[in-house]
Amino acid sequence: MDADIFEKRKKTIDELVHDKFYVPMKAKEIAVLLNIPKENREDLMQVLDALVSEGRISVTAKGKYTKYPTDVITGTFCGTQKGIGFVTVENEEDDIFIPESGINGALHNDLVNVRITRQAAGDKRREGVVVKVLKRGLVRVVGTYEAGERFGFVVPDNQRLMRDIFIPKDGSMEAQSGHKVIAVIDDYGDERHNPSGHIEEIIGHVNDPGADIMSVVAGYEIPSEFSEEIMDYVAKLPNSVLSSEYEGRKDFRDLLTVTIDGEDAKDLDDAISIEKNDRGYTLYVHIADVSEYVKERSVLDCEALERGTSVYLVDRVIPMLPHKLSNGICSLNQGEDRLTLSCVMEYDYKGNQTGHEICESVINVDRRMSYTAVKKILEDRDPEMMTEYSDFIGMFELMNELSAILREKRHKRGSIDFDFPESKIRLNEKGVPVEIKAYERNVATKIIEDFMLAANETVAEDYFWQGNPFVYRTHDNPDPRKILELCTFINNFGYSIHVGNEEVHPKELQKLLENISGSQEENLLSRLTLRSMKRAQYSTECSGHFGLAARYYTHFTSPIRRYPDLQIHRIIKENLRGKFTPSRISHYAEILPDVAKQASVTERRADDAEREVEKMKKAEYMTAHIGEVFDGVISGVTARGLYVELENTIEGMVSAASIEGDYYAFDDKKFELIGEKTHITYRLGERVKVKCISADKALRIIDFKLVKQ
């Protein structure tokens, strides 16, 4: 059956079921009602089966089709370590609580039908039971194999799965206990029987260096290897810029140019130059022209779209593009001619942009700089660094000058700056964490951030007003309800924000962050403010960026590691070359919504994997420090206990039951634990000493105990 006819027939039957079904009907009765001839009854059954699998209609035990009761909702099941679950429903803020007795064989990520058994009331959310699993969410499971005499089990790494996977002996690939494996589920079992399956791949032993991190990678189904076909494609690419590729490009090779990145970075996709005259500044942001080598619809392009982004883990990078491109011909390496797209911006001395140009170019980087080296020059005035880079000091000082002006201008319009310290985790040759410390932003990181933001905004505004298809980076206004909840919460600490017509201006959140700076509750309130905001995403609509208080914003500056940047480079180049014909405009209008959606999905996947690896390595680090005492700050308070963050960014929990000398009750207004007899109070921001009493790498948890001072 033709796909369009199939969808139209689905819609017709769906409407029939919900508008005209007063009693359940059999398939043949539906066929008569819709005048479907006998020879097409098989097609009808395909349509009915599809509607049932999507949860749009129901089929009784007697084979009659009917609409679902109004108290049945379709959503995605989310398991928990505690054996209970929740169902999230698309376009609904509140999820549905599923008790253990109501899970009925559902597994994490399954699409399910849920019957509501209790409506929301006060602080209690809706409750329900799973009545049907419509579609299984997981086929492959990553975990640790445990061998038995006649069979084995895979214990999932993902604690949300709640159930082990039974593995018959002939499906074990001769895995041994302790092997990290990928298992394929063949039978999902039921409420009384565990799922069963077979092992597809042995990643390595749990004690092998890197096996733990690769297990996380496999769990998120992040592609980590490139196929032979892709490597053959890459092998044919040049190792240096060809003479024919210079034609039609602006030559900026004589311009003093630097890259500024982390010490370990190898994929250098942005370089900067700056000049000053009597009218103001000229800022050059040069971005690697990856689109020159990754042609649309090539096997390499399809792979880059599937990956969506490079993934940065503590000991490795899983690149979007093979190393020959990401570290070679596309990387803006010192002393090498490289093809770029340049955004040249003119500013007056107040930071107002007076003109700009976006062009194809060629550059040759004079120095590859690190954030640390630039900081030592601009902040520390380190004599050794000042001597080594004497020819560049004037340029760095100009960069710092313009960066500060642009940052202040962005601040005045309301741009919100969350400055949480990142973790720097160092591993030894066996993959064991030996040092964890806070990685703070400095003057150099801010320069790059300010200049990349400027280029991204400039490109976005330019192409918005051209009215052609484009991919934007958007950040929608916060949900009014979450902002009202934030207002109520911060009032308990004596803070307030102005909300007009159920909307908040980013300046109000900016002021809040400034007001709480240095306070005991800064950590918690900053994180709660961040959580009240929506997640940034990619979109073909230019709806603005709330967090940056920017009307126009895109991602232009990282095409080596982000697919949307690569995609818009193609659009820019076609436009510059006069090839943006009606057919190409139509082509991009058709494909860009899917590009934006895929990029948003893969970005979230990468973020989740990076966060999980970090939590795992922090827990592993603390297993070597059991019994040691640390200084920390109370970063969160709940009824269960206190969260304490150490100076090195590691966070653990002090159970309320473990606090000696009293019973501690939770005050949900002030977010404090208060002793009933002693009236001793533990509150946010308070400095405490804690002893590490346990750490579990598999569960990603760290337990502390308070030490009396």
Side-chain angles (χ1 to χ4, degrees), residues 31-81:
V32 170
L33 199 59
L34 296 178
N35 296 316
I36 297 174
K38 287 184 178 180
E39 58 268 24
N40 291 342
R41 296 286 170 87
E42 191 173 326
D43 292 344
L44 172 64
M45 292 307 300
Q46 290 181 18
V47 174
L48 288 169
D49 289 345
L51 287 167
V52 170
S53 69
E54 293 171 13
R56 289 159 68 175
I57 65 174
S58 176
V59 59
T60 69
K62 294 183 178 181
K64 292 186 176 183
Y65 296 90
T66 183
K67 61 184 178 183
Y68 262 110
T70 55
D71 62 348
V72 171
I73 297 174
T74 301
T76 302
F77 179 75
C78 177
T80 71
Q81 294 173 254

Side-chain angles (χ1 to χ4, degrees), residues 653-668:
M653 188 176 192
V654 176
S655 167
S658 73
I659 305 177
E660 298 173 350
D662 205 346
Y663 173 79
Y664 284 84
F666 177 55
D667 184 333
D668 61 357

Side-chain angles (χ1 to χ4, degrees), residues 353-364:
Q353 192 175 111
T354 56
H356 77 274
E357 180 186 12
I358 303 165
C359 60
E360 293 183 75
S361 54
V362 58
I363 67 168
N364 191 301

Side-chain angles (χ1 to χ4, degrees), residues 339-439:
L339 304 181
T340 48
L341 284 182
S342 296
C343 183
V344 184
M345 295 159 280
E346 303 281 349
Y347 292 97
D348 64 21
Y349 287 115
K350 293 182 179 179
N352 300 308
Q353 192 175 111
T354 56
H356 77 274
E357 180 186 12
I358 303 165
C359 60
E360 293 183 75
S361 54
V362 58
I363 67 168
N364 191 301
V365 171
D366 294 279
R367 276 301 172 94
R368 184 250 197 265
M369 301 295 299
S370 69
Y371 294 128
T372 302
V374 175
K375 174 188 177 293
K376 286 183 177 180
I377 292 169
L378 291 176
E379 283 188 351
D380 305 336
R381 310 306 282 181
D382 182 280
E384 186 177 335
M385 287 291 173
M386 299 281 283
T387 300
E388 182 176 352
Y389 299 108
S390 58
D391 294 341
F392 297 85
I393 291 174
M395 181 176 69
F396 292 139
E397 289 175 341
L398 269 185
M399 289 177 179
N400 194 26
E401 199 175 290
L402 177 59
S403 170
I405 293 170
L406 295 179
R407 197 177 320 124
E408 177 60 24
K409 191 171 180 65
R410 202 169 64 246
H411 181 269
K412 284 181 179 178
R413 78 185 185 203
S415 179
I416 304 168
D417 187 12
F418 289 99
D419 195 11
F420 297 118
E422 296 181 8
S423 301
K424 181 71 173 177
I425 303 175
R426 185 168 63 85
L427 310 182
N428 65 16
E429 66 282 355
K430 295 182 179 180
V432 176
V434 292
E435 182 185 37
I436 298 178
K437 61 182 180 180
Y439 186 80

Side-chain angles (χ1 to χ4, degrees), residues 252 255-258 271-275 282-286 395 399 451:
F252 292 133
L255 198 63
L256 194 62
T257 303
V258 296
I272 50 178
S273 312
I274 193 169
E275 295 175 326
T282 303
L283 172 65
Y284 302 79
V285 174
H286 312 285
M395 181 176 69
M399 289 177 179
F451 290 172

Side-chain angles (χ1 to χ4, degrees), residues 346-540:
E346 303 281 349
Y347 292 97
D348 64 21
Y349 287 115
K350 293 182 179 179
N352 300 308
Q353 192 175 111
T354 56
H356 77 274
E357 180 186 12
I358 303 165
C359 60
E360 293 183 75
S361 54
V362 58
I363 67 168
N364 191 301
V365 171
D366 294 279
R367 276 301 172 94
R368 184 250 197 265
M369 301 295 299
S370 69
Y371 294 128
T372 302
V374 175
K375 174 188 177 293
K376 286 183 177 180
I377 292 169
L378 291 176
E379 283 188 351
D380 305 336
R381 310 306 282 181
D382 182 280
E384 186 177 335
M385 287 291 173
M386 299 281 283
T387 300
E388 182 176 352
Y389 299 108
S390 58
D391 294 341
F392 297 85
I393 291 174
M395 181 176 69
F396 292 139
E397 289 175 341
L398 269 185
M399 289 177 179
N400 194 26
E401 199 175 290
L402 177 59
S403 170
I405 293 170
L406 295 179
R407 197 177 320 124
E408 177 60 24
K409 191 171 180 65
R410 202 169 64 246
H411 181 269
K412 284 181 179 178
R413 78 185 185 203
S415 179
I416 304 168
D417 187 12
F418 289 99
D419 195 11
F420 297 118
E422 296 181 8
S423 301
K424 181 71 173 177
I425 303 175
R426 185 168 63 85
L427 310 182
N428 65 16
E429 66 282 355
K430 295 182 179 180
V432 176
V434 292
E435 182 185 37
I436 298 178
K437 61 182 180 180
Y439 186 80
E440 300 283 356
R441 292 160 67 200
N442 59 39
V443 62
T445 60
K446 290 177 181 177
I447 285 173
I448 293 300
E449 181 180 291
D450 292 331
F451 290 172
M452 297 307 115
L453 289 174
N456 286 334
E457 288 188 51
T458 300
V459 171
E461 183 171 4
D462 186 309
Y463 276 80
F464 172 79
W465 286 109
Q466 291 192 47
N468 289 326
F470 210 63
V471 178
Y472 298 94
R473 179 68 168 176
T474 62
H475 187 212
D476 293 339
N477 288 359
D479 184 287
R481 185 176 59 171
K482 287 197 173 183
I483 289 298
L484 289 175
E485 289 174 357
L486 179 65
C487 286
T488 302
F489 187 83
I490 64 175
N491 281 340
N492 294 323
F493 296 90
Y495 301 104
S496 64
I497 52 177
H498 175 71
V499 179
N501 297 324
E502 295 191 339
E503 288 199 355
V504 64
H505 191 278
K507 271 190 177 182
E508 289 298 313
L509 300 184
Q510 180 197 76
K511 289 177 187 175
L512 172 65
L513 295 179
E514 290 173 354
N515 289 337
I516 65 177
S517 179
S519 68
Q520 289 189 332
E521 58 271 9
E522 178 182 7
N523 199 358
L524 174 75
L525 296 188
S526 293
R527 284 186 165 88
L528 288 177
T529 302
L530 180 61
R531 289 173 193 161
S532 73
M533 297 164 65
K534 293 185 178 178
R535 189 183 180 100
Q537 60 184 3
Y538 296 102
S539 172
T540 55

Side-chain angles (χ1 to χ4, degrees), residues 199-226:
I199 292 175
E200 180 181 69
E201 180 184 340
I202 298 175
I203 298 171
H205 193 272
V206 66
N207 295 325
D208 291 345
D212 52 358
I213 292 178
M214 288 312 297
S215 295
V216 174
V217 171
Y220 282 95
E221 298 185 342
I222 297 171
S224 57
E225 301 292 335
F226 290 101

